Amino acid sequence: MPSTDFDGDFPTRGPAVMGVSAATLALCSLFVAFRLVSRFLVVRKPGWDDYTMIAAWILAFGASFCICYSTTKGLGRRQQNIPPEWQEPMKKSSYVFSVLYNPALMATKTSILLFYLTLSKTHKVFRWATIATLIVVNVGGLALTILNILQCRPVDAAWASPVPDSAHCTNIVTIYLSSAPLNIITDLAILFLPMPILTGMRLPKKQKVILVLTFGFGVFVAVVDVIRIAYLQEAQRKTLEAAQANTSESGNEQRNTGDFAWFSSLSFMWSTVEINLGIMCGCVPALKPLVRRFLPSWVIDPTQRETATHTSDEPVLHPEILDSRRRSDPLSDPLTPPASPLSKPRPARRSGGDEPMGMMDFLTTPDMNELPRLRPSNTGITYSTAAPTRRASMTFFDFVNTGQKKNITLRSNRESVYPVIMVTILFFVWGFAYGFLEVLNGRFQEVVQTSDWEMVGQHSAYYVGYIIGPLTFGRIVFKTWGFKASYIVGLSVYACGTLVFWPSAVLHSFPAFLISNFIVGAGLSTLELSANPFIALCGPPEYAEVRLNLSQAVQAIGTIVSPLLAKKALFRPDAASLIDVQWTYLGISFFNIALAIIYYYVPLPEATDEELELASQRTVPAAREATVNIGSRPVKVLWIGLGMVALSQFCYVGGQESVSTSYMEYINRVAPSLDYVSQQAYGHTAFALARFLAAAADIWVKPRFSLLFFYLGAIAFAAAAMHASGTTGAAMIVMVMFFEGPLFPQIFAQGIRGMGKHTKDAAVVLTVAIGGGAVIPPVMFAALKIHNSQYAFCVIVAAFVVGTLYPIYLNALPASRALSDPVRDEKTRRESEAEEKRRGSFSEKLRRWSKVKRRHSWTKEEQLPAVEHRERRSWPEGLAPQTRDSLAIEPVRTRTPSSSGSSSGQ
């Protein structure tokens, strides 16, 4: 018992922590019990996911018990209000909790992912994504568990009071915050992995909504994890303030003198909530058979007939067909009345041997009976899967059609507006992100006091991601699954990179921050890998540069807005500012995940390599075969041009980033009285304006001329900036950025023109060439350190001079001009115009027919529902459902066993 010195009225969080932890543990235990009843007694089909969930509950019980016990030993109190004899037992129980926390989450998530593997054996992407998430959960969880076990050396120092000087302990708040990115990433992955399968199923709307909501309960776990982080940040603020003051709070000091018991108590409470709520959410999908048994009205819509479960790539038969085939099934008893919704369901009829039905059947079939066996028939309707065809159209909750339509190379200007706008949104996202990244790097440098060369390293790490990302997973995704898949993967990887900033800022670790920048670059490079060629290819080929300039101009607007917002309104160079940056990037991460989900359901056109080849054959068939002799060997102009454009891209991006990274030093040298932030905003504005102007010019001027013009302008003003001073020097660097603006879209659009089936590989090469931003800026910075920022502009001039070799090559060689100059696709244009005319003619006829129909329409009672009429027209011959009209015409036949057998054989 504590001494009287510690009795009295003082603030404590202990009772609240104990109450919440015990309550969530009780609810968690109830859910696990219901799950076991459902799977072991109702379904009688337990699996590894059930046994793993039992292990998760045991670990959750231990973790919750440790927290409840800790509250009886001072957890939740201020340091001065904890008796000395309570310190060791409180620290021991807290240590045990920290060791059990990650294994409990590992077991819970492993159970859910094992359950996912039972949902579908045909969706290979889903299965491999689930397996990859399973590996990340267990490998990352194991590493964090080991880190928690070895948080002190020797281990027993973790509960020593006080911690001896000979021991070394890591700041426990740092350890807990370091696990945040992994938990949030895996939470979001588990939440959204099954959604494409669930939303693609052909189910009654009520069942689909229930199914999606059932699997969507995991969103609460991610929310709880964010709340937990918020309380940990309160304790971490002191550590960052110490780092900024050139002092440090060691793990030993934090455990001996800090208010860890007070600050961490609510974080521990939310950690137990996270564990217990995760188990509850993991148990919800397995409770459907139990709910169906005792509360059938919750999961059955009495107005809907029983329907089979189908995914989007399977043939779908109407319930009437299934019912008619059930009636003709000799294995079923026609005299048996249908079961009451409140009665116990009949045992599932198994299709082969004693193997029970799959889990997806239990989740989606209303009466918990196995899907009916369909008898083969000799109708003319068959579903062939032998020939490679495009996937059938899929609807999301029956109102968004995600099916594939006309490929991007066949679209008219009008048809390309919508997809171009949707992808242009992504340009704005990464422009906005890049602006924030610059501010983030600067704030990190100021708070943690990294050196100038480390700052350059952070910038280079971002562009190294542009080299690695497209050459590895980016190319695989782009070539295998197309444009939209690259957007989704790029946004997801980018979100992971922003989340990794948490441990890098918490640890104020330069290597961790390099990793964060690298992952962000890899994600955005995958996004850019497909977005740039999509804009260039989606629509008439003669306007490729126009479209890409406009989209890239929108990206530049994002680059203007985000630094101003960040520097002027959001972030200050102090420890609190760095925490604000973390929350901002957490918000950006969630926004990107939401955007990736939205883009999964947004219908966007695609183009295969074969379709891209046909598009090139329609426009520049001869130019693609042109060759020049190098020595005695003929080489296609196509490949020479690709090498030249990659070199130009490399040099341009390197020069552009050199201007951007040296902007502040240059302004401080030539005009120190000017505001650097405002001046850079002027430069970004000129950059964006130039792209709009170039888009207009490219309608009338050949793009190779405008490319040469803007390159020469950039060289001239960069050379002038070396000798100008005052406001003239500030104006020179703004003009450099103006002439830089259109270079990237001009280079990219002309670089992929005429590549045909190699277009996607050319896009990979040009995206990798953006890695020049990792090479040339360090050279520029070395010149700046050795001499000054004005002299260092010689590196920029040299980079642009080398880049200008590409437009000179285009204008000098006739074969390259024939390949790079825009050519109208006359055949596609004529077909589009004819299609527009047909569409207009059909619309006019439809309007006329609507007027006639309204004039001679039936009464409301006589009209058939539109959906029924539409479905009746689509039935295969002999399989149409019986309606009142047909029953009035056809004689009623008495069903006999013989007639049933004959009907099934027809």
Side-chain angles (χ1 to χ4, degrees):
M1 296 294 296
S3 62
T4 56
D5 294 339
F6 298 94
D7 294 333
D9 186 15
F10 50 80
T12 176
R13 296 171 171 174
V17 173
M18 174 181 281
V20 172
S21 300
T24 55
L25 177 63
L27 288 174
C28 167
S29 303
L30 193 62
F31 271 74
V32 172
F34 285 153
R35 176 193 179 108
L36 298 182
V37 171
S38 178
R39 298 299 299 275
F40 283 82
L41 299 181
V42 177
V43 179
R44 297 183 180 180
K45 186 190 175 184
W48 282 106
D49 54 319
D50 300 299
Y51 300 119
T52 310
M53 189 61 77
I54 294 173
W57 177 83
I58 294 173
L59 294 169
F61 179 86
S64 301
F65 178 82
C66 289
I67 294 304
C68 293
Y69 176 76
S70 291
T71 59
T72 66
K73 297 299 180 181
L75 184 68
R77 297 187 181 188
R78 295 282 186 180
Q79 184 78 11
Q80 64 270 19
N81 297 323
I82 302 176
E85 62 268 22
W86 283 7
Q87 292 282 353
E88 184 172 338
M90 183 196 69
K91 291 183 177 180
K92 279 186 177 180
S93 57
S94 298
Y95 174 79
V96 173
F97 169 80
S98 67
V99 172
L100 293 178
Y101 170 72
N102 284 294
L105 290 180
M106 286 168 55
T108 303
K109 294 177 182 180
T110 298
S111 173
I112 296 172
L113 292 168
L114 290 175
F115 174 72
Y116 282 2
L117 291 177
T118 66
L119 298 183
S120 175
K121 296 182 179 180
T122 59
H123 293 77
K124 292 184 179 180
V125 175
F126 168 75
R127 290 186 64 81
W128 281 109
T130 302
I131 292 171
T133 307
L134 191 62
I135 293 172
V136 170
V137 164
N138 287 278
V139 172
L142 181 61
L144 290 171
T145 302
I146 295 173
L147 181 63
N148 278 287
I149 293 173
L150 303 178
Q151 59 186 260
C152 287
R153 294 188 298 273
V155 173
D156 58 2
W159 55 84
S161 182
V163 178
D165 294 337
S166 58
H168 174 74
C169 291
T170 305
N171 189 316
I172 192 65
V173 180
T174 298
I175 295 176
Y176 290 153
L177 280 174
S178 298
S179 65
L182 179 67
N183 288 339
I184 294 177
I185 290 170
T186 52
D187 286 343
L188 293 176
I190 290 172
L191 176 62
F192 295 117
L193 269 176
M195 292 303 167
I197 292 180
L198 300 178
T199 57
M201 288 181 173
R202 303 297 178 87
L203 291 171
K205 187 170 293 185
K206 179 178 178 180
Q207 288 188 46
K208 184 180 286 189
V209 171
I210 291 174
L211 197 60
V212 172
L213 291 179
T214 298
F215 281 80
F217 274 106
V219 69
F220 297 109
V221 181
V223 171
V224 168
D225 202 23
V226 173
I227 296 173
R228 167 180 169 267
I229 292 169
Y231 285 103
L232 283 172
Q233 288 286 26
E234 184 181 356
Q236 182 63 16
R237 193 180 301 270
K238 290 186 176 181
T239 303
L240 291 174
E241 291 171 351
Q244 189 177 13
N246 286 325
T247 61
S248 62
E249 183 185 36
S250 67
N252 295 21
E253 295 172 348
Q254 179 253 349
R255 293 164 189 265
N256 292 332
T257 62
D259 269 333
F260 174 71
W262 171 264
F263 286 117
S264 64
S265 58
L266 292 181
S267 176
F268 283 166
M269 180 190 75
W270 284 106
S271 297
T272 59
V273 172
E274 179 188 8
I275 295 171
N276 295 328
L277 185 61
I279 292 176
M280 287 188 274
C281 293
C283 290
V284 167
L287 301 183
K288 193 264 184 181
L290 191 65
V291 175
R292 171 63 183 85
R293 174 71 62 84
F294 298 103
L295 298 170
S297 61
W298 286 21
V299 295
I300 295 179
D301 187 348
T303 65
Q304 293 283 348
R305 300 183 63 92
E306 180 185 350
T307 180
T309 301
H310 293 274
T311 53
S312 60
D313 53 356
E314 294 174 334
V316 179
L317 297 182
H318 193 271
E320 297 284 354
I321 302 177
L322 299 178
D323 289 344
S324 65
R325 292 188 175 186
R326 284 195 195 95
R327 291 192 294 267
S328 65
D329 190 346
L331 296 178
S332 63
D333 186 0
L335 301 178
T336 302
S340 168
L342 300 178
S343 63
K344 181 177 178 180
R346 290 174 293 178
R349 183 161 45 85
R350 298 170 183 173
S351 57
D354 295 329
E355 184 178 354
M357 75 179 72
M359 181 51 59
M360 184 57 78
D361 294 340
F362 272 110
L363 291 175
T364 57
T365 307
D367 64 353
M368 290 175 55
N369 286 328
E370 195 175 18
L371 299 181
R373 290 178 288 172
L374 302 183
R375 298 294 187 186
S377 63
N378 56 358
T379 61
I381 304 297
T382 60
Y383 297 95
S384 173
T385 58
T389 59
R390 291 186 182 273
R391 290 188 61 183
S393 296
M394 180 178 71
T395 58
F396 170 55
F397 277 93
D398 302 326
F399 63 83
V400 176
N401 186 357
T402 60
Q404 296 183 356
K405 298 181 179 180
K406 184 187 294 186
N407 81 74
I408 59 178
T409 66
L410 299 176
R411 298 207 157 212
S412 64
N413 280 321
R414 180 179 178 182
E415 293 170 327
S416 64
V417 170
Y418 168 76
V420 167
I421 288 176
M422 294 305 300
V423 177
T424 300
I425 293 174
L426 299 180
F427 280 85
F428 181 83
V429 167
W430 83 64
F432 195 84
Y434 180 75
F436 261 120
L437 189 69
E438 281 193 313
V439 178
L440 175 63
N441 287 344
R443 291 300 176 262
F444 187 86
Q445 183 186 31
E446 293 168 0
V447 173
V448 187
Q449 298 183 350
T450 58
S451 67
D452 291 338
W453 278 106
E454 287 177 330
M455 187 67 180
V456 174
Q458 293 165 8
H459 186 272
S460 295
Y462 171 81
Y463 280 98
V464 170
Y466 268 79
I467 298 174
I468 304 300
L471 289 177
T472 53
F473 66 90
R475 182 181 183 276
I476 295 173
V477 172
F478 190 31
K479 293 280 289 183
T480 306
W481 292 289
F483 292 91
K484 188 162 76 170
S486 296
Y487 308 150
I488 297 170
V489 172
L491 287 167
S492 301
V493 174
Y494 172 37
C496 294
T498 57
L499 282 174
V500 172
F501 177 70
W502 283 94
S504 64
V506 166
L507 299 171
H508 43 88
S509 167
F510 176 69
F513 200 68
L514 287 181
I515 294 172
S516 174
N517 279 267
F518 170 79
I519 297 175
V520 168
L524 289 178
S525 67
T526 306
L527 193 64
E528 196 163 356
L529 169 64
S530 59
N532 284 316
F534 183 94
I535 296 293
L537 295 168
C538 188
E542 64 268 26
Y543 300 123
E545 287 83 0
V546 176
R547 290 190 298 271
L548 194 52
N549 264 305
L550 291 175
S551 295
Q552 292 275 0
V554 173
Q555 176 202 12
I557 293 174
T559 309
I560 297 170
V561 173
S562 58
L564 290 175
L565 179 65
K567 293 177 181 178
K568 294 290 187 181
L570 295 181
F571 308 132
R572 305 168 307 280
D574 54 29
S577 170
L578 194 58
I579 292 177
D580 293 338
V581 173
Q582 295 177 50
W583 284 111
T584 302
Y585 264 75
L586 181 64
I588 292 175
S589 179
F590 286 156
F591 172 75
N592 285 324
I593 293 295
L595 203 61
I597 296 166
I598 292 171
Y599 271 81
Y600 176 83
Y601 294 110
V602 170
L604 291 174
E606 292 282 347
T608 64
D609 289 342
E610 292 74 15
E611 290 165 342
L612 294 172
E613 179 70 17
L614 291 174
S616 295
Q617 292 290 348
R618 290 193 302 268
T619 54
V620 287
R624 296 180 69 246
E625 303 301 325
T627 61
V628 294
N629 291 324
I630 299 180
S632 59
R633 184 178 180 181
V635 179
K636 281 189 176 182
V637 173
L638 192 71
W639 305 124
I640 297 175
L642 181 60
M644 294 291 293
V645 74
L647 176 63
S648 182
Q649 182 85 294
F650 182 91
C651 294
Y652 157 71
V653 176
Q656 174 200 319
E657 291 306 308
S658 296
V659 173
S660 179
T661 55
S662 63
Y663 206 108
M664 182 175 66
E665 288 81 2
Y666 183 85
I667 293 297
N668 290 337
R669 176 176 174 82
V670 301
S673 61
L674 297 178
D675 179 33
Y676 151 67
V677 176
S678 299
Q679 290 299 313
Q680 193 168 39
Y682 298 151
H684 286 306
T685 303
F687 189 87
L689 179 62
R691 287 182 169 173
F692 284 112
L693 294 176
D698 285 337
I699 298 176
W700 296 281
V701 179
K702 291 188 184 299
R704 54 187 167 89
F705 292 145
S706 60
L707 176 60
L708 181 60
F709 169 76
F710 283 106
Y711 249 134
L712 293 177
I715 293 171
F717 282 100
M722 296 177 62
H723 306 286
S725 61
T727 56
T728 303
M732 291 300 101
I733 195 171
V734 170
M735 291 305 298
V736 170
M737 295 191 71
F738 175 84
F739 281 95
E740 285 177 350
L743 292 180
F744 183 93
Q746 302 282 89
I747 292 170
F748 202 102
Q750 293 180 73
I752 64 172
R753 179 173 282 121
M755 296 301 298
K757 62 184 178 182
H758 305 292
T759 300
K760 293 182 179 179
D761 287 320
V764 171
V765 171
L766 291 178
T767 306
V768 171
I770 297 175
V775 178
I776 297 178
V779 177
M780 164 82 172
F781 190 74
L784 185 150
K785 285 297 183 181
I786 295 172
H787 297 280
N788 56 65
S789 57
Q790 284 180 288
Y791 176 87
F793 263 67
C794 66
V795 176
I796 297 173
V797 173
F800 287 160
V801 167
V802 176
T804 310
L805 296 176
Y806 176 62
I808 292 175
Y809 158 80
L810 292 181
N811 286 279
L813 191 65
S816 66
R817 292 200 298 269
L819 187 63
S820 67
D821 284 347
V823 178
R824 285 188 176 184
D825 188 349
E826 296 294 347
K827 180 180 178 181
T828 302
R829 179 183 290 271
R830 288 193 299 269
E831 291 175 352
S832 297
E833 291 175 352
E835 183 179 352
E836 290 292 334
K837 291 180 180 179
R838 288 195 302 270
R839 188 179 302 166
S841 176
F842 177 76
S843 300
E844 181 62 28
K845 290 179 180 178
L846 192 61
R847 283 193 296 269
R848 293 177 182 175
W849 167 247
S850 299
K851 292 179 181 178
V852 174
K853 184 178 178 182
R854 283 195 299 269
R855 191 176 303 163
H856 301 285
S857 60
W858 299 341
T859 62
K860 184 175 181 180
E861 291 76 9
E862 294 173 331
Q863 290 181 357
L864 291 175
V867 64
E868 182 179 349
H869 179 66
R870 183 175 65 251
E871 290 176 348
R872 193 171 66 245
R873 287 186 302 174
S874 63
W875 300 132
E877 183 178 357
L879 294 179
Q882 297 293 322
T883 64
R884 287 182 296 179
D885 293 340
S886 62
L887 290 174
I889 297 174
E890 296 181 4
V892 179
R893 297 180 181 179
T894 304
R895 294 178 67 248
T896 62
S898 60
S899 63
S900 298
S902 61
S903 64
S904 64
Q906 288 179 354

